Amino acid sequence: MDLDYGPQYDAFREEVRQFLQTHGHRAPDGQGRAARPSPEAVEWQKLLILHGYTARTIPKEYGGYGAEPDILKSRIIAEEFSRAGIPAGLANQGISMLVPTLLELGTEAQKRQWIEPTLNGEIVWCQGYSEPGAGSDLAALKTSARVENGDFVINGQKIWTSTAKQADMIFCLVRTEPDAPKHGGISYLIFSMDTPGIEVRPLKTMTGHAEFNETFFTDVRVPLDQIVGQRGQGWYVANATLGHERGMLGDPDALENRLQALVRLMQKERIGQGCAMDNAVLRDRLVALQAEVAAMKFNGMRILSNSLRGDAGGMAKLVVKLQSCELAHQISALAIDAMGEMGILYHGSEREREDGAWQWNYMFQLGLIIGGGTAQIQKNIIAERGLEMPREPKFATPPAVEQATAVASGQNKGAA
Amino acid sequence: MDLDYGPQYDAFREEVRQFLQTHGHRAPDGQGRAARPSPEAVEWQKLLILHGYTARTIPKEYGGYGAEPDILKSRIIAEEFSRAGIPAGLANQGISMLVPTLLELGTEAQKRQWIEPTLNGEIVWCQGYSEPGAGSDLAALKTSARVENGDFVINGQKIWTSTAKQADMIFCLVRTEPDAPKHGGISYLIFSMDTPGIEVRPLKTMTGHAEFNETFFTDVRVPLDQIVGQRGQGWYVANATLGHERGMLGDPDALENRLQALVRLMQKERIGQGCAMDNAVLRDRLVALQAEVAAMKFNGMRILSNSLRGDAGGMAKLVVKLQSCELAHQISALAIDAMGEMGILYHGSEREREDGAWQWNYMFQLGLIIGGGTAQIQKNIIAERGLEMPREPKFATPPAVEQATAVASGQNKGAA
Amino acid sequence: MDFGLSQDQEMLCDAISRTLADTCPLDHVRECAEGSVPFSDNVRSALGEIGIWGMMVPEQHDGLGMTMLDAAAVAEQLGYAVAPVPFIGAHVLAPLALAQGGSEELKAHWLPRIAKGEAQIAVAIAETVEIRDRAGVDFDGAKLDGTALFALDFLEADAFLVADTAGRMHFVAGDAAGLEKVALKTIDRTRSVGELRFSGVAGEALADDGGATVRRLRDAGRVLLAADSLGAGQAMIEKAVDYAGQREQFGRVIGSFQAVKHMCAEMAARHEPCRSLVWYAAHAFDATPDEASLVACHAKSHTGEVHRFVARTSTEVHGGMGFTDLLGLHFWFKRIGFDRQVLGSPEAVRAEAAALQGWTQVA
Amino acid sequence: MDFGLSQDQEMLCDAISRTLADTCPLDHVRECAEGSVPFSDNVRSALGEIGIWGMMVPEQHDGLGMTMLDAAAVAEQLGYAVAPVPFIGAHVLAPLALAQGGSEELKAHWLPRIAKGEAQIAVAIAETVEIRDRAGVDFDGAKLDGTALFALDFLEADAFLVADTAGRMHFVAGDAAGLEKVALKTIDRTRSVGELRFSGVAGEALADDGGATVRRLRDAGRVLLAADSLGAGQAMIEKAVDYAGQREQFGRVIGSFQAVKHMCAEMAARHEPCRSLVWYAAHAFDATPDEASLVACHAKSHTGEVHRFVARTSTEVHGGMGFTDLLGLHFWFKRIGFDRQVLGSPEAVRAEAAALQGWTQVA
């Protein structure tokens, strides 16, 4: 057990701190995940790329910094930005999903055309994967793209296209070979959101906000060369980059930050003459959650160490989504209980705490439990991949149905 | 809502109380479930039958009291005996399972031969249903009975035969038609435990006690007429009486009694200067369990009312096994926590509380969660019968496997 | 012996259920919830024809003088339909309080109007459960000062009944001088709560009965919140089962997956005994007052826990669709959330239940 | 940066694991558990060859002077194999206490013997967590009076280390006058605890360091109980998965049923992060003493909760067979039960964790 990063990394950490001290004031204020970046955010992004604090390992010729992969340096960057409360560069779906895909499977022309402006925040992308009828079973997607006069002609509907309103472009899975087996008939297309025939409608969720959209395609014409990978290979193109450490492990301290916020809430929230923290039952729940957060934090350090050794994450990694989402939801649930009747205030009410963040979180985190592979799909994966338990037997009817429980996790927002 | 039983029932209740006051001293001390009844217990049983406080609705000609079924009177009897802490007559598997089966499907000769001595406690039975390989999937039982010279010749093994050591007789499911479909090849035989070729071995459980046995059959010869129902119909014979209100709903107050014992424990069990009840966290768990016990108690009253109206219990009844077993287990779990380090004392240790009853219960109740249809089987039943959700589709392989998720609950001790 | 609803009560439930099915479809709920005042005139008038607004008003004041079990049966139906109408505060707690401690003038003036659905009195007793934000209303023998939070059925109320810090109820006219009214917005937009700020307000004190009325109101409120939650939970289970029977993934309806079936089974298994608990608690309110407070606590806290689980699990069964606004499932989710927290979240109510049994040195 | 076990530690684990696989099969565990003293001479001597009895004894006293993470790695292996040998009390807490506060004579006499596996000192600190049955040992400056419960590694102990009510440790010879020893029997028959009754017993007080040693012992004990539970939980999960992959019902291995798979997945999902928590807690004991007590509390309470769930769920997956004595699964079940309760059940430990952070007015 050695939790030091070593002297060369201490120097690097110092460098990052210096940068943040010197330039941190130029960082834009918190930017919504779904928003088009502001000019300040674009400037900040370019500065971060210049110093190698984002797009760090993307080759220089495509607009990145061109460094060798170094997990610890990436981790140090994430830690220091998180500690300073300064946004660590753009983290949209174009950067996290499209860019790695193009790097791996795009043509040289595609790489040169799309990666740099995407990294710089000049092109905003949205993702067209899930459909109302294809959630957990993503490969059942029906949006069709028939070939007609040198174009794909797209008809159908996508859902959970979170940035569709702001996006310039979409990367999209469509069915190009209707007669091929389920997973073999899909292609991965990229096209402009200005193409005629696209309609974007905001999708309001239970939180009362429209964090997502539905996107409808009516005879949308896309030139045949706007495909990544081969026709019929779209399923594999989309899945190829899922194994990557996309921009590391996300914000490593998100759960800890939520827990600290809960601690502050319970110390501040008055009940009678005391505060919520004085209540032994609520406090017991808090400490139990604190222990779990600690376990997940150290589990993250273990995954990091495994990566440094070149090991896959194994079980430690397979359980992260299931446990973290549940834990975040439980933290919000305790916050609501600690607030008592105050816990139901929302919609900008008088006396509402923290702009209703706890209720919003409580609901949105339930969405996260469902999205990106429901808890049930996660458990299937843990059992089948992690514990090597047998798959369910194939069913007799209907004869042609494919068993595809091993849905790529991390993408399909729609769920069981 | 009318929780009064009405004047005629008040009179009946008074009668029962009088009886208990007058004769209660003749009741035997608590008798182990698995034990052969003592002479006092047999005398007591006969007295109860005479007054119609047990075997109440069994026809006089077979040794019962011969009353019309009256659920409220049965309930009053159970309530008053429970309140007085006096054993309400024998409750062994012969009485609860074999007698109803014979009444429904036995020949006249079988009824005359077996019911009265069984009711009187003169013949003790054990049940031979489950096998090591046939638990949740009881119909997969393999104990065979081939026909040879006018006898069934039985070979195989049964498990969970709780009273096998004391039993005179066994009622037993065996496979008589090996080539018939799974459920259609079973017969229901009754025979003496003295028949040569039977060996009974005590089966120790996790509690450290041998509450059950394994019973082995080697060329056990049973005359062909010792069958109840037809050959190959044993599955249906065994299931025919499962729907009955066997001896009403068991002890209606069992959960409440356990909870009250827990309350006393928490008031008595000292921690430092105070007691376990002073601990707000433990107390919160206690009150939560108390609410659940109350819910189950009132749920029982609702089932009783439904029965009075001739309604099946519906969902209220389907959930009883799952919820009660879990709740009993949680009550024991809290008791162990309230005892802290003392909670692990067992095996007659110095300082052990209540003869280790809480630990014994904690483990035995886990056995009950598993036995009589595991929690998973119970959930299948609730979903499929109660909520009318679809069965799992049939599987393609192996082709001949039958789907039989609707295992008769309440019998098969062995489980998934 | 008949545990459960009587035939009359079942007929009442059927009538309400049919009326709500006709007048209160999801689109209408949505419309009301998105308006400035959630209460639906259509639903109010349709339910008024059944007579429920006066169900808890004594007969001598033109009401039906019904029981708490009747009211619980109605609350369950309202929860099942997430009906955007005033009920628990205005039509149960208010007439109970007036009947128990109001002057003859107050009763004669207000009770018949409540029964006709022409008057709405909001009821504020939150501070008798827990003091939040240093709220509380002091009564100096003449005037009221301070703050009362979470008055139930607040918007459009003609008057208010409010508990003071000594546990006595006061009637306050809606236009009383020195009274400031502030609507509070909650996750549940099918109901209305608000805050009352008193600066030397003249009200009319109800009879000083040592807190007995307040305790009855708290018990009644808890039973009815539990009943509302019961109805909303029932609806969420049915919706989950229906959705799972239709939604296909991997070539099967998802309801044929054992994981989904077990989620539904667990909801049902935990939910079903709540029904008997709520019924019994309502019955005890009328029939066995000695145990009424305790069993009201059990009903409130236990349904609060069970239906938080049901709300979450039903949403999960609905997958992404459950998370959207499209199916409107969240109206039930939020109604359950409201029922759980108001008049004490489960921990607070369990602490009270322990104190009622003498299990706590510090109550 | 290397979070986890070093290559040396993994080699140590492998060696122990192989040794236990050879010397400590289930039949042997059963034999020991059913005897009057659970400790296995075979296993003790085989493990002694690896040197683990002296792992926490300083090198100047013929030990290996290893770290708490080493000890946790060993404890995990012992839990995995439900090994019936003294360890936490006799080979970790006792040498820690002596090294920290023992006189040179005590150290010189006992530490080398502990290292060789020739001496066993039981350690009793239960009353520093919670006073049960009015236990507690008073020290009047010369003699010890009172009762200490749950001395760890009790049977066959040559001597005892016991905490007094002021938090100071005392060494007491096994044959001291006025000392009465009473074995306590627990569900876990692979370990030994006992009660010490003192009537004017002369012991040797260790250095008075204001309770620092006791605190270290408590932290160490908790980390190692958590590690033991981790190993036992790991074994129970593996056994459940194996059994589910072999047991057939309804013509399929039960491990292909989604319900069974999800039970196993949930066990794994809750169990796996415990490993990192325990490792970190062990590491903190050596490297970051300021946070050691808090993270030891977290490790103890969290593994206690998770593995109660694992013990129960694994048993359920095994069905009736899991409930019998035949498979011996209950040895792990009970080992986990022991680990959960000793040195504080989860509620007690969480209350301590809250106090450590200043979250309680009354600690």
Side-chain angles (χ1 to χ4, degrees), chain D:
Chain D
M1 168 71 186
D2 186 16
F3 185 95
L5 302 186
S6 65
Q7 281 197 329
D8 282 354
Q9 284 163 334
E10 284 184 355
M11 283 169 59
L12 174 67
C13 287
D14 283 349
I16 296 171
S17 161
R18 275 196 310 271
T19 300
L20 290 170
D22 289 345
T23 61
C24 193
L26 179 60
D27 285 347
H28 184 60
V29 171
R30 192 186 294 281
E31 196 177 40
C32 293
E34 288 169 1
S36 57
V37 177
F39 303 137
S40 160
D41 289 334
N42 283 352
V43 179
R44 286 171 95 152
S45 87
L47 289 175
E49 281 168 31
I50 305 175
I52 75 168
W53 306 133
M55 65 186 298
M56 301 305 284
V57 170
E59 287 172 272
Q60 67 265 40
H61 294 291
D62 304 344
L64 299 173
M66 293 169 83
T67 67
M68 190 55 65
L69 184 57
D70 296 312
V74 171
E76 184 184 340
Q77 294 302 323
L78 297 176
Y80 185 88
V82 289
V85 290
F87 183 66
I88 296 179
H91 293 284
V92 181
L93 302 195
L96 275 181
L98 289 175
Q100 193 138 349
S103 64
E104 288 311 315
E105 292 73 17
L106 273 183
K107 288 195 261 194
H109 182 82
W110 289 101
L111 287 173
R113 286 178 172 78
I114 289 173
K116 287 197 200 84
E118 291 168 1
Q120 177 185 330
I121 301 181
V123 178
I125 56 169
E127 285 71 38
T128 72
V129 177
E130 264 183 356
I131 305 280
R132 294 276 174 173
D133 279 6
R134 302 177 193 267
V137 175
D138 291 317
F139 177 55
D140 66 1
K143 305 275 190 184
L144 297 166
D145 281 281
T147 306
L149 302 176
F150 294 98
L152 301 171
D153 296 332
F154 173 84
L155 284 170
E156 298 189 336
D158 303 292
F160 300 92
L161 284 159
V162 59
D164 68 24
T165 47
R168 188 168 177 184
M169 294 299 296
H170 301 266
F171 173 88
V172 177
D175 56 1
L179 173 64
E180 190 187 349
K181 296 175 276 190
V182 181
L184 297 172
K185 294 185 214 158
T186 76
I187 45 169
D188 179 11
R189 300 181 74 165
T190 63
R191 292 191 277 186
S192 165
V193 293
E195 166 174 350
L196 302 172
R197 299 177 189 163
F198 299 89
S199 307
V201 173
E204 178 176 342
L206 303 202
D208 185 357
D209 54 8
T213 295
V214 164
R215 198 160 54 246
R216 292 289 279 172
L217 297 185
R218 202 162 60 219
D219 294 346
R222 285 176 175 163
V223 170
L224 296 178
L225 287 163
D228 190 89
S229 187
L230 186 71
Q234 178 71 33
M236 287 198 88
I237 295 171
E238 290 175 13
K239 284 170 194 295
V241 170
D242 285 352
Y243 187 81
Q246 287 162 19
R247 168 77 171 174
E248 288 191 19
Q249 292 280 274
F250 307 109
R252 304 160 56 174
V253 292
I254 62 169
S256 71
F257 283 103
Q258 206 181 19
V260 175
K261 287 204 295 205
H262 284 198
M263 289 165 87
C264 293
E266 192 132 347
M267 286 194 276
R270 296 180 64 179
H271 167 78
E272 195 61 31
C274 290
R275 183 175 307 282
S276 303
L277 177 59
V278 170
W279 284 351
Y280 188 89
H283 176 69
F285 184 90
D286 295 315
T288 51
D290 284 352
E291 62 170 341
S293 291
L294 178 61
V295 70
C297 285
H298 285 337
K300 174 71 167 67
S301 60
H302 187 56
T303 57
E305 302 288 24
V306 168
H307 293 124
R308 171 179 272 192
F309 168 79
V310 167
R312 173 238 166 103
T313 305
S314 172
T315 305
E316 277 192 84
V317 169
H318 283 80
M321 277 300 126
F323 177 61
T324 68
D325 179 60
L326 297 169
L327 299 182
L329 189 72
H330 63 91
F331 287 110
W332 285 266
F333 183 99
K334 291 165 180 172
R335 186 115 174 173
I336 285 171
F338 181 101
D339 292 333
R340 175 183 164 99
Q341 303 301 116
V342 170
L343 295 185
S345 61
E347 280 86 3
V349 174
R350 283 194 295 264
E352 197 175 317
L356 283 169
Q357 297 174 88
W359 290 349
T360 27
Q361 285 144 349
V362 187

Side-chain angles (χ1 to χ4, degrees), chain C residues 100-115:
Chain C
Q100 191 137 348
S103 64
E104 289 309 318
E105 291 74 16
L106 272 184
K107 289 196 261 194
H109 182 82
W110 289 101
L111 287 173
R113 286 179 171 77
I114 289 173

Side-chain angles (χ1 to χ4, degrees), chain A residues 132-133 135-137 159-160 203-206 212 269-272 281 285 326 329 333 336-342 344-347 349-351 353 359 362-364 366-367 369-370 375-376 392 395 398 401 404 407 415-416, chain C residues 34 126 130-134 147 149-150 182-187 189 195 197 243 247-252 254 257 259 263 308 312 315-317 319-321 323-326 330 333-334 337-338 340-345 347:
Chain A
S136 288
D137 186 10
I159 195 170
W160 310 113
L203 179 64
K204 199 161 88 170
T205 72
M206 68 192 299
F212 301 93
E269 187 69 32
R270 299 191 66 81
I271 306 176
V281 180
R285 284 174 61 188
E326 181 63 30
H329 186 65
I336 290 169
D337 288 345
M339 287 187 273
E341 287 186 301
M342 296 296 175
I344 56 171
L345 298 177
Y346 199 59
H347 298 299
S349 176
E350 191 88 359
R351 295 188 186 273
R353 305 327 194 208
Q359 274 289 356
Y362 181 68
M363 293 185 274
F364 197 79
L366 182 54
I369 288 172
I370 294 167
Q376 286 62 52
E392 282 196 72
F395 300 106
V401 168
V407 171
Chain C
E34 287 170 0
E130 265 183 356
I131 306 279
R132 292 279 174 172
D133 279 8
R134 302 176 193 268
T147 307
L149 302 177
F150 294 99
V182 182
L184 296 172
K185 293 185 215 160
T186 78
I187 46 168
R189 299 182 76 166
E195 167 174 350
R197 298 178 188 162
Y243 186 81
R247 168 79 171 173
E248 288 190 19
Q249 292 279 274
F250 307 111
R252 304 160 56 175
I254 62 168
F257 282 103
M263 290 165 86
R308 173 180 271 192
R312 174 237 165 104
T315 305
E316 276 192 84
V317 170
M321 277 300 125
F323 178 60
T324 67
D325 179 59
L326 297 169
H330 62 90
F333 183 98
K334 292 166 181 170
F338 181 101
R340 176 183 164 98
Q341 303 300 119
V342 170
L343 294 184
S345 60
E347 280 86 4

